[in-house]
């Protein structure tokens, strides 16, 4: 092969290479990753409510038929109540409404939504009340005079009263004890009626007469179930997924997303993670995996508020 032929071949190679687009993907500075997905932490809006100086939102839940976000929070220190529940429509988040007991002190600090009937059950310092979201009227429901610490709706109202070491299910006029001898902070119930709860002793799962210890961490900030009946819990350093096995003893909890400063968490109507940090509401938007760190470097994508 002579020099002329070599030069010709080199020119052909250069021409071919120049016709191939070069794609350079930069890492997303506001993205976080799980084992199987990359999420962009997307700011939605600030919730406007009479918060105290240090803003604390304890719980989130959505009435799916109207896309209305309900949230419990600690109001201004000058307020007679130390807990309140508010709500705001996610499609038009202009005005936030606070549920009021009028001249009565309610301290609604916990709640849950009956999606089928459009009802919101509210637990506070004077028992359980129910909000009819069609008429927006609040009426007494159960356990007047008792302080209700945690509440969940799954066909019936499940709740925990102050001073009692048990979860109770209200079924008509009867009260069935579901979990006892445990100081429960908060809990959820999945479609198979497995109850996962946070206690001062850690994180547990229970069904019938079997209880398993999932984690010694007693400081998880909350529990939430997504539209696929998957249970998540969160703490200072991120989001953890709870896998409930058919053999309950093989259930486990695994950290899935490293994300700091989550106060409260739920899932929107598209099953996206929705969470608050301070007064701000964020969504984890699923994006292309190439935008996240591939895990081979020492730099991790952490988002700090």
């Amino acid at each position: 092969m002579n020099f002329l032929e070599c030069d010709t071949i080199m020119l052909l190679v250069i021409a071919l290479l120049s016709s191939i687009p070069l794609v350079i993907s930069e890492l997303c500075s506001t993205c976080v990753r799980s084992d199987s997905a990359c999420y962009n932490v997307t700011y939605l809006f600030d919730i406007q409510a009479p918060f105290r100086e240090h803003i604390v939102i304890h719980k989130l839940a959505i009435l799916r038929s109207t896309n209305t976000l309900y949230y419990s929070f600690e109001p201004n220190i000058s307020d007679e109540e130390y807990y309140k529940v508010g709500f705001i429509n996610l499609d038009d988040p202009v005005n936030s409404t606070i549920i009021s007991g009028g001249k009565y002190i309610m301290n609604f600090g916990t709640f849950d939504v009956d999606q089928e009937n459009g009802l919101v059950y509210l637990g506070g310092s004077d028992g359980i009340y129910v909000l009819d979201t069609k008429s927006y009227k609040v009426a007494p429901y159960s356990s007047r005079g008792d302080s209700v610490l945690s509440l969940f709706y799954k066909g019936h109202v499940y709740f925990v009263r102050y001073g009692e070491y048990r979860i109770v299910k209200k079924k008509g006029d009867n009260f069935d004890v579901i979990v006892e001898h445990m100081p429960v902070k908060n809990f959820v119930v999945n479609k198979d009626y497995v109850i996962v709860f946070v206690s001062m002793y850690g994180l547990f799962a229970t069904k019938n007469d079997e209880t398993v210890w999932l984690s010694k961490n007693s400081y998880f900030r909350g529990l939430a179930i997504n539209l696929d009946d998957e249970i998540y819990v969160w703490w200072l350093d991120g989001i953890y997924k709870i896998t409930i096995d058919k053999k309950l003893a093989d259930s486990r909890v695994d950290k899935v997303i490293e994300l700091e400063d989550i106060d409260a968490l739920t899932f929107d109507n598209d099953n996206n993670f929705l969470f608050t940090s301070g007064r701000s509401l964020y969504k984890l938007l699923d994006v292309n995996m190439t935008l996240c760190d591939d895990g081979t470097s020492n730099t991790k994508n952490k988002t700090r508020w």
Side-chain angles (χ1 to χ4, degrees):
M1 182 182 294
N2 59 38
F3 287 109
L4 182 59
E5 289 174 330
C6 287
D7 289 342
T8 303
I9 291 171
M10 286 298 295
L11 289 171
L12 286 171
V13 170
I14 292 170
L16 286 171
L17 288 174
S18 65
S19 67
I20 300 173
L22 182 61
V23 179
I24 300 175
S25 177
E26 294 185 0
L27 294 181
C28 168
S29 63
T30 58
C31 289
V32 292
R33 64 172 292 145
S34 67
D35 289 340
S36 59
C38 178
Y39 301 100
N40 189 6
V41 182
T42 305
Y43 169 80
L44 298 180
F45 57 85
D46 280 0
I47 297 173
Q48 302 300 324
F51 298 113
R52 62 182 56 191
E53 185 175 351
H54 176 66
I55 297 172
V56 180
I57 295 176
H58 289 285
K59 185 172 182 178
L60 300 174
I62 293 176
L63 177 60
R64 305 205 175 276
S65 60
T66 60
N67 205 24
T68 300
L69 176 72
Y70 287 79
Y71 59 95
S72 64
F73 68 98
E74 297 180 14
N76 194 291
I77 197 69
S78 62
D79 199 298
E80 290 184 302
E81 295 185 308
Y82 45 87
Y83 294 117
K84 287 181 180 292
V85 170
F87 58 91
I88 187 168
N89 188 273
L90 292 174
D91 297 323
D92 186 24
V94 177
N95 296 311
S96 183
T97 302
I98 310 302
I99 298 171
S100 173
K103 61 181 180 179
Y104 299 103
I105 304 298
M106 296 299 189
N107 292 310
F108 292 138
T110 183
F111 69 93
D112 205 20
V113 180
D114 173 357
Q115 302 288 352
E116 184 176 349
N117 297 300
L119 303 174
V120 180
Y121 291 95
L122 306 156
S125 57
D126 188 30
I128 301 171
Y129 285 69
V130 59
L131 168 69
D132 186 330
T133 62
K134 297 179 179 68
S135 64
Y136 286 103
K137 291 182 179 179
V138 177
Y141 179 73
S142 180
S143 301
R144 295 289 302 276
D146 293 329
S147 183
V148 176
L149 303 180
S150 185
L151 184 151
F152 190 84
Y153 184 83
K154 181 70 174 177
H156 301 280
V157 174
Y158 296 71
F159 63 99
V160 176
R161 288 181 287 216
Y162 176 77
E164 292 185 349
Y165 294 94
R166 58 186 182 179
I167 297 174
V168 175
K169 179 175 74 172
K170 179 175 168 55
K171 192 174 181 181
D173 294 329
N174 298 319
F175 295 88
D176 298 334
V177 176
I178 307 301
V179 175
E180 57 183 339
H181 310 305
M182 277 285 192
V184 177
K185 295 180 181 179
N186 50 61
F187 67 97
V188 294
V189 185
N190 75 358
K191 65 180 181 181
D192 297 318
Y193 293 92
V194 175
I195 298 176
V196 177
F197 63 92
V198 179
S199 163
M200 62 183 294
Y201 303 119
L203 181 68
F204 296 83
T206 185
K207 184 177 181 180
N208 300 326
D209 295 326
E210 184 180 8
T211 299
V212 297
W213 197 3
L214 299 173
S215 170
K216 294 181 180 180
N217 188 348
S218 62
Y219 299 102
F220 286 116
R221 291 182 168 179
L223 290 152
I225 300 181
N226 71 6
L227 300 183
D228 297 323
D229 203 51
E230 297 170 330
I231 303 175
Y232 291 84
V233 65
W234 60 98
W235 193 42
L236 297 172
D237 63 343
I239 301 171
Y240 295 72
K241 182 179 180 180
I242 299 169
T243 302
I244 302 299
D245 197 271
K246 290 183 178 179
K247 184 180 178 182
L248 194 62
D250 291 337
S251 300
R252 67 183 191 276
V253 56
D254 301 295
K255 186 177 181 181
V256 291
I257 299 175
E258 187 166 358
L259 185 62
E260 298 177 350
D261 299 330
I262 298 174
D263 292 331
L265 183 148
T266 190
F267 296 88
D268 68 12
N269 281 342
D270 295 318
N271 214 24
N272 296 306
F273 288 96
L274 203 66
F275 71 93
T276 56
S277 183
R279 69 168 70 245
S280 299
L281 183 68
Y282 297 86
K283 175 168 64 175
L284 295 186
L285 188 62
D286 198 346
V287 295
N288 193 298
M289 195 69 172
T290 59
L291 295 175
C292 274
D293 190 319
D294 64 4
T296 60
S297 72
N298 293 324
T299 303
K300 295 180 180 178
N301 286 328
K302 290 185 182 180
T303 302
R304 300 176 185 270
W305 319 112

